[in-house]
Amino acid sequence: MSFLSSDPATRVAFTRRLAVASLVGLIAVGLAWELWLAPLREGGSWWAIKVLPLALPLAGLLKNRMYTYRWVSLLVWLYFTEGVVRATSGESGLSTLMAALQTLLCITLFVACALHVRLRLRAAGPEAVAADVAAANAAAERAVAREP
């Protein structure tokens, strides 16, 4: 089973596993980085709570909810930015390595989520895409109607 398979279901399953694995990896890296490997303060740092927002979408990815893949692909850029800043800020060698690993995991998660959404919509066909666009437009209209 690989991404190069011509079977759309295999590709979708691969991107799902890749997204879940990279999200779990981001959580693990964030916790290990801030609690044990290279915390900002000796003995661990409260910065470990930064992984809490990453724990929220894990259930949605495991349940294969399309909406979760979409908003995770936006949320991940906050962690990407932190990784790039800390990788280039001149911190210790291990902290720089952890920041680079976080950045790589963020890129992997974004690509996996984007491909997953694209492949699922393509596999679902034009009717599903039209229904998805209609649902998004209706949600946007409701949001605009709620604004004062």
Side-chain angles (χ1 to χ4, degrees), residues 48-121:
I49 63 172
K50 72 182 179 186
V51 301
L52 285 178
L54 292 173
L56 296 174
L58 187 57
L61 292 186
L62 292 172
K63 292 177 182 177
N64 210 20
R65 293 188 174 148
M66 181 80 84
Y67 182 77
T68 306
Y69 285 91
R70 289 179 173 160
W71 70 262
V72 166
S73 68
L74 299 175
L75 172 71
V76 73
W77 291 111
L78 295 171
Y79 295 89
F80 173 83
T81 303
E82 181 207 15
V84 169
V85 168
R86 290 184 70 179
T88 59
S89 68
E91 292 184 33
S92 71
L94 187 56
S95 185
T96 301
L97 178 66
M98 298 302 288
L101 182 58
Q102 177 173 313
T103 303
L104 179 65
L105 284 168
C106 287
I107 292 169
T108 304
L109 179 57
F110 175 77
V111 170
C113 287
L115 280 174
H116 185 82
V117 169
R118 181 177 179 169
L119 291 170
R120 273 182 63 185
L121 288 176

XYZ file of all heavy atoms in Angstrom, residues 48-121:
577
model
N 4.726 23.728 27.779
C 4.223 22.423 27.335
C 2.718 22.476 27.055
O 2.205 21.663 26.278
C 4.531 21.359 28.378
N 2.015 23.430 27.648
C 0.572 23.520 27.393
C 0.265 23.954 25.964
O -0.887 23.884 25.545
C -0.139 24.451 28.411
C 0.365 25.876 28.291
C -0.001 23.909 29.813
C -0.420 26.871 29.121
N 1.296 24.346 25.230
C 1.069 24.736 23.837
C 0.541 23.580 22.993
O -0.026 23.801 21.928
C 2.347 25.287 23.207
C 3.391 24.234 22.927
C 4.649 24.829 22.360
C 5.682 23.733 22.104
N 6.944 24.279 21.691
N 0.696 22.344 23.458
C 0.214 21.199 22.687
C -1.268 20.932 22.903
O -1.863 20.137 22.170
C 1.028 19.919 22.978
C 2.487 20.119 22.660
C 0.830 19.442 24.381
N -1.893 21.574 23.875
C -3.321 21.340 24.124
C -4.193 21.610 22.895
O -5.071 20.796 22.588
C -3.808 22.152 25.318
C -3.372 21.627 26.684
C -3.877 22.548 27.788
C -3.848 20.212 26.906
N -3.990 22.711 22.180
C -4.806 22.901 20.972
C -4.609 21.807 19.925
O -5.494 21.554 19.118
C -4.343 24.260 20.430
C -3.800 24.969 21.615
C -3.191 23.901 22.478
N -3.450 21.144 19.948
C -3.213 20.062 19.002
C -3.962 18.790 19.393
O -4.254 17.951 18.539
C -1.713 19.755 18.907
C -0.850 20.818 18.264
C 0.622 20.460 18.400
C -1.230 21.015 16.809
N -4.259 18.644 20.675
C -4.977 17.453 21.121
C -6.450 17.495 20.712
O -7.077 16.450 20.531
C -4.857 17.314 22.635
N -7.001 18.687 20.555
C -8.422 18.817 20.201
C -8.770 18.186 18.851
O -9.766 17.465 18.752
C -8.836 20.286 20.230
C -8.757 20.971 21.593
C -9.055 22.457 21.444
C -9.701 20.319 22.573
N -8.008 18.437 17.795
C -8.406 17.871 16.499
C -8.091 16.390 16.331
O -8.522 15.778 15.358
C -7.617 18.700 15.486
C -6.425 19.166 16.213
C -6.901 19.381 17.629
N -7.368 15.802 17.258
C -7.004 14.393 17.108
C -8.239 13.501 16.977
O -8.288 12.620 16.112
C -6.125 13.947 18.279
C -5.527 12.557 18.164
C -4.709 12.414 16.887
C -4.661 12.257 19.377
N -9.254 13.741 17.780
C -10.482 12.941 17.693
C -11.157 13.113 16.335
O -11.630 12.143 15.740
C -11.440 13.327 18.810
N -11.191 14.336 15.821
C -11.797 14.579 14.516
C -11.052 13.904 13.385
O -11.662 13.400 12.438
N -9.717 13.895 13.473
C -8.945 13.200 12.444
C -9.176 11.694 12.529
O -9.303 11.025 11.503
C -7.455 13.506 12.579
C -7.003 14.931 12.266
C -5.486 15.025 12.318
C -7.517 15.417 10.938
N -9.231 11.169 13.750
C -9.469 9.740 13.905
C -10.867 9.337 13.437
O -11.078 8.228 12.959
C -9.250 9.315 15.355
C -7.797 9.389 15.833
C -7.724 9.130 17.336
C -6.922 8.412 15.071
N -11.830 10.255 13.562
C -13.193 9.988 13.088
C -13.357 10.356 11.612
O -14.450 10.232 11.063
C -14.206 10.766 13.927
C -14.300 10.257 15.343
C -15.265 11.088 16.159
C -15.294 10.593 17.590
N -16.163 11.421 18.437
N -12.281 10.841 11.007
C -12.243 11.155 9.573
C -13.217 12.268 9.184
O -13.886 12.196 8.156
C -12.504 9.890 8.753
C -11.813 9.931 7.415
O -10.870 10.687 7.213
N -12.286 9.114 6.495
N -13.289 13.300 9.987
C -14.183 14.426 9.716
C -13.488 15.441 8.807
O -12.435 15.976 9.146
C -14.599 15.096 11.021
C -15.468 14.202 11.848
C -16.027 14.920 13.035
N -16.967 14.054 13.731
C -17.154 14.088 15.024
N -16.497 14.946 15.767
N -18.020 13.271 15.573
N -14.089 15.690 7.688
C -13.503 16.571 6.674
C -13.236 17.965 7.239
O -12.184 18.558 6.977
C -14.434 16.666 5.472
C -13.899 17.541 4.371
S -12.703 16.742 3.338
C -13.781 15.917 2.216
N -14.162 18.488 8.006
C -14.019 19.830 8.558
C -12.758 19.942 9.410
O -12.062 20.946 9.372
C -15.263 20.184 9.387
C -15.238 21.579 9.960
C -15.514 22.669 9.141
C -14.945 21.804 11.295
C -15.492 23.957 9.650
C -14.917 23.084 11.806
C -15.192 24.157 10.980
O -15.154 25.427 11.485
N -12.444 18.900 10.163
C -11.258 18.913 11.021
C -9.992 19.013 10.188
O -9.072 19.757 10.526
C -11.220 17.665 11.917
O -12.442 17.577 12.637
C -10.059 17.723 12.884
N -9.926 18.274 9.094
C -8.751 18.347 8.222
C -8.547 19.771 7.707
O -7.422 20.236 7.574
C -8.887 17.391 7.033
C -8.674 15.952 7.421
C -9.743 15.148 7.801
C -7.408 15.397 7.420
C -9.550 13.834 8.154
C -7.203 14.077 7.773
C -8.282 13.306 8.150
O -8.075 12.004 8.509
N -9.643 20.442 7.438
C -9.541 21.809 6.916
C -8.990 22.775 7.957
O -8.101 23.566 7.670
C -10.900 22.270 6.416
C -11.294 21.571 5.157
C -12.637 22.039 4.704
N -12.927 21.465 3.398
C -14.132 21.375 2.914
N -15.163 21.814 3.589
N -14.325 20.834 1.733
N -9.542 22.766 9.165
C -9.083 23.770 10.124
C -7.742 23.412 10.723
O -6.987 24.303 11.129
C -10.143 24.135 11.153
C -10.530 23.145 12.191
C -11.607 22.318 12.160
C -9.893 22.912 13.452
N -11.661 21.584 13.308
C -10.624 21.925 14.131
C -8.774 23.449 14.088
C -10.284 21.452 15.383
C -8.430 22.980 15.344
C -9.172 22.001 15.973
N -7.380 22.136 10.756
C -6.043 21.770 11.221
C -4.990 22.296 10.247
O -3.913 22.717 10.661
C -5.918 20.240 11.398
C -4.474 19.805 11.543
C -6.703 19.797 12.606
N -5.328 22.292 8.957
C -4.368 22.794 7.976
C -4.115 24.296 8.151
O -3.102 24.811 7.681
C -4.839 22.501 6.553
O -5.977 23.258 6.221
N -4.987 24.992 8.844
C -4.761 26.402 9.172
C -4.074 26.555 10.529
O -3.158 27.363 10.687
C -6.091 27.157 9.176
C -6.849 27.168 7.851
C -8.205 27.831 8.025
C -6.044 27.859 6.771
N -4.503 25.777 11.507
C -3.926 25.834 12.852
C -2.432 25.509 12.848
O -1.646 26.110 13.581
C -4.658 24.853 13.779
C -4.070 24.638 15.178
C -4.297 25.891 16.019
C -4.685 23.416 15.828
N -2.026 24.593 11.999
C -0.648 24.115 11.996
C 0.354 25.225 11.676
O 1.513 25.159 12.089
C -0.502 22.917 11.023
C -0.567 23.361 9.573
C 0.784 22.165 11.286
N -0.083 26.279 11.019
C 0.853 27.360 10.663
C 1.328 28.135 11.891
O 2.412 28.720 11.870
C 0.243 28.286 9.616
C 0.125 27.563 8.313
C -1.019 27.176 7.691
C 1.199 27.072 7.495
N -0.729 26.484 6.536
C 0.621 26.412 6.396
C 2.589 27.127 7.592
C 1.389 25.819 5.401
C 3.350 26.531 6.596
C 2.755 25.889 5.515
N 0.570 28.141 12.978
C 1.050 28.758 14.220
C 2.263 28.001 14.760
O 3.254 28.608 15.185
C -0.059 28.776 15.273
C -1.281 29.630 14.956
C -2.376 29.380 15.979
C -0.901 31.082 14.904
N 2.191 26.687 14.715
C 3.293 25.854 15.201
C 4.478 25.892 14.233
O 5.628 25.835 14.657
C 2.798 24.419 15.438
C 1.788 24.381 16.541
C 0.431 24.552 16.289
C 2.179 24.224 17.863
C -0.495 24.548 17.306
C 1.259 24.216 18.896
C -0.079 24.388 18.608
O -0.997 24.405 19.626
N 4.186 26.007 12.952
C 5.251 26.172 11.952
C 6.032 27.442 12.234
O 7.269 27.448 12.236
C 4.642 26.213 10.542
C 5.633 26.548 9.467
C 6.443 25.564 8.931
C 5.753 27.848 8.997
C 7.366 25.873 7.930
C 6.665 28.164 8.008
C 7.473 27.175 7.475
N 5.317 28.526 12.495
C 5.962 29.808 12.773
C 6.839 29.713 14.022
O 7.981 30.184 14.020
C 4.899 30.917 12.946
O 4.093 30.963 11.767
C 5.542 32.256 13.190
N 6.315 29.088 15.074
C 7.121 28.925 16.278
C 8.376 28.112 15.982
O 9.477 28.453 16.434
C 6.321 28.233 17.384
C 7.148 28.076 18.651
C 6.755 26.907 19.522
O 6.023 26.016 19.067
O 7.226 26.900 20.679
N 8.229 27.046 15.214
C 9.376 26.213 14.889
C 10.439 26.958 14.113
O 11.638 26.854 14.409
N 10.026 27.742 13.138
C 10.989 28.500 12.331
C 11.689 29.559 13.186
O 12.914 29.727 13.111
C 10.290 29.145 11.110
C 11.197 30.141 10.421
C 9.852 28.067 10.133
N 10.922 30.262 14.002
C 11.510 31.309 14.852
C 12.514 30.702 15.828
O 13.634 31.194 15.977
C 10.406 32.098 15.597
C 11.004 32.970 16.688
C 9.611 32.940 14.618
N 12.130 29.622 16.492
C 13.028 29.033 17.482
C 14.209 28.305 16.832
O 15.271 28.202 17.436
C 12.251 28.118 18.413
C 11.335 28.947 19.334
C 10.608 28.136 20.338
N 11.488 27.604 21.371
C 11.054 26.873 22.389
N 9.761 26.591 22.503
N 11.894 26.404 23.284
N 14.035 27.830 15.613
C 15.149 27.171 14.919
C 16.211 28.181 14.503
O 17.392 27.846 14.403
C 14.641 26.417 13.691
N 15.797 29.418 14.278
C 16.736 30.443 13.805
C 17.104 31.461 14.874
O 17.761 32.455 14.567
C 16.140 31.176 12.589
O 14.895 31.776 12.962
C 15.926 30.226 11.422
N 16.724 31.227 16.123
C 16.956 32.231 17.164
C 18.252 32.042 17.934
O 18.531 32.808 18.854
C 15.778 32.240 18.146
O 15.756 31.033 18.869
N 19.013 31.028 17.608
C 20.289 30.841 18.285
C 20.191 30.143 19.622
O 21.060 30.299 20.468
N 19.133 29.363 19.844
C 19.019 28.586 21.079
C 20.008 27.425 21.042
O 20.747 27.255 20.073
C 17.587 28.066 21.230
C 16.567 29.159 21.493
C 15.167 28.613 21.739
O 15.047 27.518 22.308
O 14.209 29.277 21.348
N 19.995 26.598 22.077
C 20.925 25.463 22.161
C 20.731 24.512 20.982
O 19.700 24.532 20.307
C 20.701 24.711 23.470
O 19.467 24.012 23.423
N 21.706 23.661 20.759
C 21.665 22.724 19.645
C 20.468 21.805 19.660
O 19.831 21.573 18.636
N 20.125 21.263 20.832
C 18.987 20.357 20.930
C 17.669 21.093 20.690
O 16.776 20.582 20.026
C 18.962 19.659 22.294
C 17.912 18.566 22.466
C 18.049 17.499 21.385
C 18.032 17.938 23.829
N 17.578 22.314 21.181
C 16.371 23.109 20.960
C 16.210 23.432 19.474
O 15.096 23.391 18.941
C 16.417 24.395 21.781
O 15.205 25.093 21.646
N 17.313 23.725 18.816
C 17.263 23.996 17.374
C 16.827 22.750 16.616
O 16.021 22.836 15.676
C 18.640 24.476 16.877
O 18.990 25.660 17.582
C 18.627 24.760 15.392
N 17.319 21.594 17.022
C 16.924 20.337 16.395
C 15.434 20.073 16.592
O 14.734 19.671 15.656
C 17.746 19.182 16.955
C 17.397 17.795 16.427
C 17.730 17.694 14.949
C 18.142 16.743 17.217
N 14.946 20.305 17.795
C 13.521 20.100 18.077
C 12.657 21.067 17.261
O 11.590 20.697 16.770
C 13.232 20.254 19.568
C 13.944 19.241 20.455
S 13.572 17.539 20.043
C 11.905 17.419 20.612
N 13.126 22.292 17.126
C 12.388 23.283 16.338
C 12.346 22.873 14.865
O 11.307 23.005 14.205
C 13.032 24.660 16.491
N 13.454 22.370 14.354
C 13.487 21.907 12.967
C 12.556 20.711 12.774
O 11.840 20.615 11.763
C 14.912 21.563 12.563
N 12.544 19.802 13.746
C 11.650 18.647 13.676
C 10.192 19.089 13.720
O 9.351 18.581 12.966
C 11.952 17.687 14.833
C 11.128 16.406 14.887
C 11.280 15.596 13.606
C 11.541 15.577 16.100
N 9.884 20.061 14.568
C 8.519 20.589 14.631
C 8.130 21.203 13.295
O 7.019 20.995 12.803
C 8.392 21.626 15.741
C 7.010 22.258 15.812
C 6.840 23.163 17.010
O 7.187 22.785 18.120
N 6.296 24.338 16.788
N 9.026 21.948 12.690
C 8.755 22.574 11.397
C 8.487 21.520 10.327
O 7.538 21.641 9.548
C 9.936 23.478 10.988
O 10.141 24.437 12.015
C 9.675 24.174 9.680
N 9.295 20.484 10.303
C 9.110 19.405 9.333
C 7.780 18.683 9.542
O 7.058 18.397 8.578
C 10.267 18.408 9.433
C 10.204 17.215 8.493
C 10.307 17.668 7.040
C 11.317 16.244 8.820
N 7.416 18.431 10.788
C 6.137 17.791 11.085
C 4.958 18.683 10.687
O 3.923 18.188 10.223
C 6.050 17.420 12.562
C 6.861 16.200 12.981
C 6.933 16.114 14.504
C 6.278 14.931 12.399
N 5.113 19.986 10.869
C 4.051 20.923 10.470
C 3.827 20.891 8.958
O 2.683 20.869 8.490
C 4.397 22.344 10.910
S 4.241 22.619 12.676
N 4.907 20.889 8.209
C 4.785 20.833 6.747
C 4.138 19.514 6.331
O 3.250 19.487 5.467
C 6.160 21.027 6.087
C 6.647 22.452 6.316
C 6.105 20.710 4.600
C 8.092 22.688 5.934
N 4.553 18.428 6.959
C 3.973 17.116 6.663
C 2.486 17.097 6.976
O 1.676 16.602 6.176
C 4.696 16.014 7.459
O 6.086 16.072 7.165
C 4.155 14.644 7.121
N 2.106 17.644 8.120
C 0.695 17.678 8.502
C -0.114 18.521 7.526
O -1.205 18.118 7.099
C 0.534 18.213 9.926
C -0.886 18.332 10.465
C -1.612 16.991 10.416
C -0.869 18.880 11.881
N 0.393 19.675 7.142
C -0.333 20.526 6.195
C -0.540 19.816 4.864
O -1.647 19.796 4.319
C 0.405 21.850 5.976
C -0.242 22.690 4.920
C -1.392 23.398 5.193
C 0.274 22.736 3.634
C -2.018 24.152 4.210
C -0.336 23.483 2.645
C -1.486 24.196 2.936
N 0.526 19.239 4.327
C 0.429 18.550 3.037
C -0.537 17.371 3.132
O -1.368 17.169 2.244
C 1.827 18.105 2.548
C 1.734 17.178 1.354
C 2.679 19.321 2.205
N -0.452 16.603 4.210
C -1.349 15.452 4.380
C -2.810 15.899 4.451
O -3.677 15.287 3.822
C -0.968 14.664 5.631
N -3.085 16.958 5.201
C -4.466 17.449 5.314
C -4.977 17.989 3.980
O -6.107 17.690 3.571
C -4.563 18.532 6.385
S -4.449 17.910 8.061
N -4.160 18.771 3.314
C -4.579 19.340 2.024
C -4.830 18.240 0.994
O -5.843 18.273 0.275
C -3.522 20.320 1.532
N -3.929 17.273 0.917
C -4.127 16.172 -0.023
C -5.341 15.326 0.353
O -6.083 14.879 -0.521
C -2.882 15.290 -0.074
C -1.732 15.791 -0.923
C -0.521 14.888 -0.771
C -2.142 15.898 -2.377
N -5.536 15.117 1.631
C -6.670 14.315 2.079
C -7.994 14.949 1.648
O -8.857 14.263 1.078
C -6.637 14.149 3.604
C -7.695 13.248 4.113
N -7.576 11.892 4.114
C -8.926 13.511 4.634
C -8.679 11.347 4.600
N -9.502 12.314 4.932
N -8.131 16.227 1.876
C -9.360 16.922 1.480
C -9.535 16.861 -0.032
O -10.618 16.538 -0.539
C -9.343 18.386 1.983
C -10.467 19.194 1.367
C -9.437 18.412 3.500
N -8.476 17.137 -0.745
C -8.561 17.139 -2.208
C -8.922 15.754 -2.744
O -9.788 15.627 -3.615
C -7.233 17.600 -2.791
C -7.246 17.644 -4.284
C -5.957 18.169 -4.826
N -6.022 18.167 -6.278
C -5.149 18.741 -7.034
N -4.130 19.382 -6.503
N -5.266 18.697 -8.342
N -8.258 14.723 -2.247
C -8.520 13.371 -2.735
C -9.916 12.892 -2.368
O -10.587 12.230 -3.175
C -7.472 12.399 -2.186
C -6.061 12.578 -2.736
C -5.072 11.728 -1.957
C -6.006 12.265 -4.214
N -10.374 13.231 -1.166
C -11.723 12.815 -0.776
C -12.783 13.496 -1.616
O -13.767 12.861 -2.030
C -11.975 13.114 0.701
C -11.509 11.981 1.587
C -11.776 12.220 3.036
N -13.185 12.325 3.383
C -13.610 12.627 4.598
N -12.738 12.851 5.580
N -14.886 12.708 4.867
N -12.612 14.778 -1.886
C -13.589 15.472 -2.717
C -13.571 14.951 -4.145
O -14.615 14.794 -4.775
C -13.342 16.977 -2.684
C -13.708 17.676 -1.384
C -13.331 19.145 -1.439
C -15.190 17.512 -1.084
